[in-house]
Amino acid sequence: MEDLEETLFGEFENYSYPTEYYSVESDSEEKVPLGVVHWVSLVLYCLAFVLGIPGNAIVIWFVGFKWKKTVTTLWFLNLAIADFIFLLFLPLYISYVAMNFHWPFGTWLCKANSFIAQLNMFASVFFLTVISLDRYIQLIHPFISHRHRTIRKALIVIALIWFLASVMGGPYLYFRDTVELNNHTTCYNNFHEHDPDLSLMRHHVLTWVKFIIGYLSPLLTMSICYLCLIFQVKKRSILVSNKYSLTILAVVLAFLICWTPYHLFSIGELMIHHSNYLHQVLRAGMPLSTALAFLNSCLNPILYVLISKKFQARFHASVAEILKYTLWEVSCSGTVGEQLRSSETKNLSLLETAQ
């Protein structure tokens, strides 16, 4: 049987294979080498953090504090907040992987880190789905949109999305636990310590719920919205810019590329105790699929906001306004300084004359 530590490697919510499927009879002193795959995934994690933090911070700053509040800006603001909160916790996961999946941060941070990851996943997917529905209704049913598309109702939808995302992430906050073996602590899902059947059942339920609610349903909704939108635009000859069509295509492709591998490997993980070969495949594929899921948090501001000509125009105008104000302050402070120095020189001259 495989060594316990050899079975414990992280994924999106730092999940490790159920420990009851494996024994600890083999060489438990030997640590698992990271390997090329893990180093590549580490690079991608760091890339997501480096690009995602400033990208989402820019969106939050301008959309949340500089621009007029609209329904559209509220969607983008909350999408950026969800990604930004997750990315703030990402250094913990990077450290976990870099230390060969050793978790020195304690049980509560293990729970919080997993909960935040799940909260981000569900909140981001729900907001992307709402954005898709909103765009469809706004273009194809403008009268309904004009009547019901208000900031007050948008805030209610936003509160509902955060509540549902918290409920969906709640089980991972409850089941998350740490186990220590030979000075090596692992953060994993403790579905049930002494009942393998109950543990396997909970694992299946949570995985399929995550797949159906957090992937399949949103994907079908977005795809149907965009296909109907494209069909109606051509049928009614509605004027929509090529930039908007490219944005639609980028949204669907990004969602597919980032999330499909992760969910496929998560489903494959359900069969881990049946095949040693599958175990090796998952060890290679899960870190990379997880890295793609992480990258979605830094791609969102690029795909949904930064490629918008309107956003670019507002961004440049806001930056120009900030630079103008900053230069004005520097100029004023410089002028005041020169006036003070001139006044001091004049006073000295008067003193010397008086003497």
Side-chain angles (χ1 to χ4, degrees):
M1 299 292 271
E2 297 288 335
D3 178 21
L4 173 62
E5 293 180 10
E6 196 172 60
T7 69
L8 298 175
F9 65 91
E11 58 160 282
F12 182 59
E13 71 270 23
N14 308 338
Y15 178 73
S16 57
Y17 299 144
T19 58
E20 56 267 23
Y21 297 145
Y22 303 93
S23 68
V24 293
E25 298 172 357
S26 58
D27 186 12
S28 59
E29 295 295 331
E30 182 182 352
K31 295 292 187 295
V32 183
L34 286 179
V36 176
V37 171
H38 287 163
W39 284 114
V40 171
S41 63
L42 266 178
V43 171
L44 294 178
Y45 301 154
C46 294
L47 183 65
F49 179 79
V50 170
L51 295 179
I53 287 292
N56 286 286
I58 288 172
V59 173
I60 293 171
W61 171 252
F62 285 105
V63 177
F65 299 98
K66 304 296 292 184
W67 297 348
K68 181 182 178 180
K69 295 292 185 299
T70 64
V71 174
T72 301
T73 58
L74 286 175
W75 302 143
F76 291 143
L77 175 62
N78 281 270
L79 179 62
I81 289 173
D83 290 330
F84 187 77
I85 292 174
F86 164 69
L87 290 169
L88 287 178
F89 280 76
L90 188 54
L92 293 177
Y93 186 83
I94 294 173
S95 301
Y96 180 50
V97 177
M99 291 187 290
N100 198 15
F101 303 104
H102 171 63
W103 184 267
F105 307 111
T107 302
W108 282 109
L109 271 180
C110 168
K111 291 176 177 290
N113 187 50
S114 181
F115 173 73
I116 292 297
Q118 294 299 317
L119 179 70
N120 162 262
M121 183 186 74
F122 284 106
S124 295
V125 171
F126 291 161
F127 279 118
L128 299 185
T129 306
V130 168
I131 289 173
S132 304
L133 290 168
D134 183 56
R135 284 176 172 173
Y136 173 79
I137 295 173
Q138 192 177 8
L139 282 176
I140 307 303
H141 304 286
F143 295 106
I144 296 177
S145 175
H146 180 73
R147 185 176 179 180
H148 297 285
R149 194 174 180 266
T150 63
I151 291 181
R152 182 176 177 274
K153 291 182 179 179
L155 291 174
I156 294 175
V157 173
I158 288 169
L160 182 62
I161 287 176
W162 282 110
F163 174 75
L164 290 176
S166 300
V167 170
M168 298 304 299
Y172 296 89
L173 185 65
Y174 177 79
F175 289 118
R176 210 65 181 157
D177 201 357
T178 57
V179 61
E180 183 175 351
L181 182 66
N182 297 322
N183 297 320
H184 190 93
T185 303
T186 301
C187 181
Y188 76 112
N189 281 330
N190 186 7
F191 290 125
H192 197 284
E193 190 174 355
H194 304 296
D195 190 341
D197 293 332
L198 179 60
S199 177
L200 184 61
M201 185 269 291
R202 288 173 173 174
H203 185 193
H204 274 263
V205 169
L206 288 179
T207 299
W208 284 109
V209 167
K210 181 171 61 176
F211 174 75
I212 294 172
I213 298 179
Y215 174 77
L216 186 60
S217 297
L219 177 61
L220 290 175
T221 303
M222 284 191 286
S223 300
I224 292 172
C225 282
Y226 291 141
L227 288 174
C228 291
L229 182 59
I230 293 172
F231 176 76
Q232 291 295 333
V233 164
K234 291 183 177 180
K235 181 180 179 181
R236 302 185 187 184
S237 299
I238 300 174
L239 293 177
V240 179
S241 66
N242 291 329
K243 200 76 172 179
Y244 184 80
S245 300
L246 290 175
T247 303
I248 293 175
L249 180 61
V251 165
V252 177
L253 289 178
F255 186 85
L256 283 170
I257 293 172
C258 290
W259 288 108
T260 301
Y262 167 74
H263 285 285
L264 289 179
F265 278 107
S266 295
I267 293 173
E269 191 182 36
L270 297 176
M271 266 72 82
I272 186 62
H273 55 290
H274 295 306
S275 170
N276 288 331
Y277 172 76
L278 184 60
H279 170 63
Q280 297 301 323
V281 172
L282 288 172
R283 281 182 58 81
M286 188 61 79
L288 292 178
S289 65
T290 302
L292 285 176
F294 284 163
L295 283 175
N296 188 249
S297 295
C298 72
L299 288 177
N300 283 337
I302 298 173
L303 295 176
Y304 285 86
V305 183
L306 294 183
I307 65 174
S308 168
K309 288 183 177 180
K310 184 180 291 187
F311 178 85
Q312 291 174 3
R314 290 183 177 181
F315 177 77
H316 291 318
S318 299
V319 170
E321 181 183 349
I322 292 173
L323 289 175
K324 182 179 178 181
Y325 181 74
T326 303
L327 291 173
W328 179 80
E329 282 190 328
V330 172
S331 176
C332 288
S333 63
T335 303
V336 171
E338 291 175 359
Q339 291 175 351
L340 289 174
R341 286 192 294 272
S342 177
S343 177
E344 290 175 356
T345 303
K346 186 181 292 186
N347 290 335
L348 287 173
S349 299
L350 290 174
L351 286 173
E352 290 175 354
T353 303
Q355 290 177 352

